[in-house]
Amino acid sequence: MCLSLLLVGNHSFMENGKFTFVTLSEDQAGRRLDKILKSYCPFLSQGEIEKSLRSKMVRLNMKKARSDIKPEIGDILRYPAFWDKNVKKLPNKKISKELPKDYILYEDKAIMVLNKPSGLAVQGGSGTEHHLDQMLESLPKRNSYRPSSVHRLDRDTSGCLLIAKKRNIAATLGEYFRSRQIDKFYVAVVSGLPDQNAGLIDKAIIKSRLRGPNEICHIADEDQDGAQKAETLFLELDRSEAYRASLMLLKPLTGRTHQLRVHMQSQGHPILGDNKYGSETRDFLSHHNLKKILYLHAIKISFIHPEDNNQVTYNAPLPDYFSEILRKFGFSKAALSDKANYDLLNIDMMKTYF
């Protein structure tokens, strides 16, 4: 087991300072620390996790932590780099690939903004052999910190993903997420024609007991045990009467697992190609000779740059299959570049006009 092998050479290992530092993402916030550790080293036993925490080989924000603690967005997890080596040596484990240059939308000394493709998981877990974190491992470390994502996109969602290249930058961006200082915008093609063309979806979400690829979420009462408050602003950009489908601009105000997908399903308008919350739409796509894939794309991200304090905005070009459905359904591409539509998606404007 990876920890028992590690403890044999514990003293020299600690002296050499060989640790991996990762920034915990939006989707990891609220999960138990032992479950997060399992996602990085899935063959650790619970006993080995407890030993590593008691011996301070695993730390959260450089402090001793318990297995049942639930970290926040942007917290820094430190664990032995030896664990990564053991994961790579697992039978049939795919070798980490380098990060493709065409994924990079923007890069400076502090951050990277990537255009993640659909089908690529951000982090590893049960049954996930190939993920973005593997690619980030190929990048150089700075003061023992390797570039790490500060939020997550679902495996099947494409688009803007923010990466911190320094530990202090990760902490700052984590605080931005907690205080809602980062605006994320998504474009989606949904089934049906909404009665209301703009507004706020304020429905709590609860996770099932399933984890990994089978994890599913549901709308819940806010006072239900385990329910998490979830808010999404939406604006209909265009609609196709012929195909009974709509082009939507979405802005999550919270960062719950599968939030946009669950919220659109709850409105009776699941996102096309969603195999969890709109599986019936995949037959619709096949019927119209369109790619059976989730039509949800993180098109824009906007925030204050943590080093120069300037407002920055980055846009992720649409994948080819997304451009194809816009063309086929006759949706306006101009609506996606109209700044007024993005400005409208704020809570005060919604209260004023809708």
Side-chain angles (χ1 to χ4, degrees), residues 205-310:
I205 289 175
I206 189 169
K207 292 182 180 180
S208 69
R209 293 183 178 180
L210 299 172
R211 289 293 179 264
N214 295 319
E215 185 172 64
I216 194 165
C217 300
H218 310 275
I219 297 298
D221 298 325
E222 286 202 24
D223 58 354
Q224 187 175 346
D225 187 35
Q228 297 178 304
K229 185 174 178 61
E231 296 177 317
T232 300
L233 293 171
F234 69 93
L235 174 68
E236 182 185 349
L237 298 177
D238 206 350
R239 60 171 54 194
S240 170
E241 298 282 351
Y243 289 94
R244 303 292 296 176
S246 301
L247 180 65
M248 308 294 293
L249 188 63
L250 306 173
K251 180 182 178 182
L253 301 182
T254 51
R256 309 308 180 198
T257 301
H258 301 170
Q259 177 176 318
L260 301 181
R261 299 160 65 184
V262 175
H263 271 175
M264 293 315 300
Q265 180 202 40
S266 75
Q267 299 297 99
H269 302 290
I271 298 172
L272 295 188
D274 194 334
N275 60 359
K276 284 183 184 288
Y277 307 101
S279 56
E280 69 281 1
T281 67
R282 293 172 72 83
D283 290 335
F284 171 86
L285 294 170
S286 293
H287 179 72
H288 293 290
N289 297 315
L290 291 163
K291 190 171 183 179
K292 291 199 294 184
I293 199 166
L294 182 68
Y295 287 84
L296 178 63
H297 179 71
I299 193 168
K300 181 180 291 192
I301 189 166
S302 182
F303 55 95
I304 301 294
H305 195 289
E307 287 204 324
D308 59 21
N309 292 321
N310 289 324

Side-chain angles (χ1 to χ4, degrees), residues 20-285:
T20 293
F21 293 85
V22 293
T23 308
L24 298 185
S25 67
E26 207 173 2
D27 194 57
Q28 290 171 309
R31 291 189 67 188
R32 285 174 55 111
L33 184 58
D34 53 0
K35 302 298 184 186
I36 295 171
L37 287 168
K38 276 274 192 180
S39 72
Y40 289 105
C41 192
F43 48 90
L44 278 174
S45 70
Q46 187 66 29
E48 289 170 328
I49 289 175
E50 299 293 347
K51 283 182 182 179
S52 68
L53 289 165
R54 286 196 300 271
S55 66
K56 301 181 184 179
M57 298 184 72
V58 171
R59 287 198 165 202
L60 189 66
N61 299 325
M62 296 309 294
K63 297 178 181 178
K64 187 175 181 180
R66 303 185 316 274
S67 61
D68 62 347
I69 196 171
K70 295 181 178 180
E72 297 183 344
I73 304 167
D75 283 350
I76 308 296
L77 174 64
R78 186 197 79 175
Y79 65 84
F82 190 85
W83 291 6
D84 292 329
K85 294 178 183 178
N86 274 268
V87 170
K88 290 177 184 178
K89 290 177 181 178
L90 285 173
N92 302 320
K93 195 73 177 179
K94 292 183 180 179
I95 298 174
S96 299
K97 295 181 179 179
E98 292 186 359
L99 181 71
K101 290 183 179 180
D102 61 0
Y103 284 14
I104 302 173
L105 295 171
Y106 174 81
E107 181 178 13
D108 59 29
K109 293 181 179 180
I111 64 170
M112 297 173 69
V113 182
L114 306 182
N115 187 6
K116 186 190 82 68
S118 175
L120 176 65
V122 174
Q123 294 169 319
S126 177
T128 301
E129 293 187 349
H130 181 54
H131 51 87
L132 183 63
D133 270 357
Q134 287 179 324
M135 296 178 179
L136 294 177
E137 286 175 7
S138 69
L139 301 177
K141 292 183 180 181
R142 183 186 179 96
N143 296 326
S144 300
Y145 182 82
R146 68 171 174 84
S148 182
S149 58
V150 290
H151 65 117
R152 284 186 70 176
L153 294 177
D154 292 343
R155 180 199 299 266
D156 295 328
T157 303
S158 58
C160 290
L161 188 71
L162 183 57
I163 306 294
K165 297 175 70 175
K166 301 178 183 178
R167 197 172 306 146
N168 64 317
I169 297 299
T172 299
L173 293 174
E175 179 54 37
Y176 284 1
F177 274 107
R178 282 192 290 273
S179 56
R180 298 187 180 185
Q181 295 182 61
I182 294 183
D183 291 329
K184 297 181 296 177
F185 298 92
Y186 296 73
V187 60
V189 181
V190 304
S191 175
L193 308 174
D195 294 330
Q196 185 179 353
N197 66 356
L200 170 68
I201 304 171
D202 183 1
K203 296 181 179 180
I205 289 175
I206 189 169
K207 292 182 180 180
S208 69
R209 293 183 178 180
L210 299 172
R211 289 293 179 264
N214 295 319
E215 185 172 64
I216 194 165
C217 300
H218 310 275
I219 297 298
D221 298 325
E222 286 202 24
D223 58 354
Q224 187 175 346
D225 187 35
Q228 297 178 304
K229 185 174 178 61
E231 296 177 317
T232 300
L233 293 171
F234 69 93
L235 174 68
E236 182 185 349
L237 298 177
D238 206 350
R239 60 171 54 194
S240 170
E241 298 282 351
Y243 289 94
R244 303 292 296 176
S246 301
L247 180 65
M248 308 294 293
L249 188 63
L250 306 173
K251 180 182 178 182
L253 301 182
T254 51
R256 309 308 180 198
T257 301
H258 301 170
Q259 177 176 318
L260 301 181
R261 299 160 65 184
V262 175
H263 271 175
M264 293 315 300
Q265 180 202 40
S266 75
Q267 299 297 99
H269 302 290
I271 298 172
L272 295 188
D274 194 334
N275 60 359
K276 284 183 184 288
Y277 307 101
S279 56
E280 69 281 1
T281 67
R282 293 172 72 83
D283 290 335
F284 171 86
L285 294 170

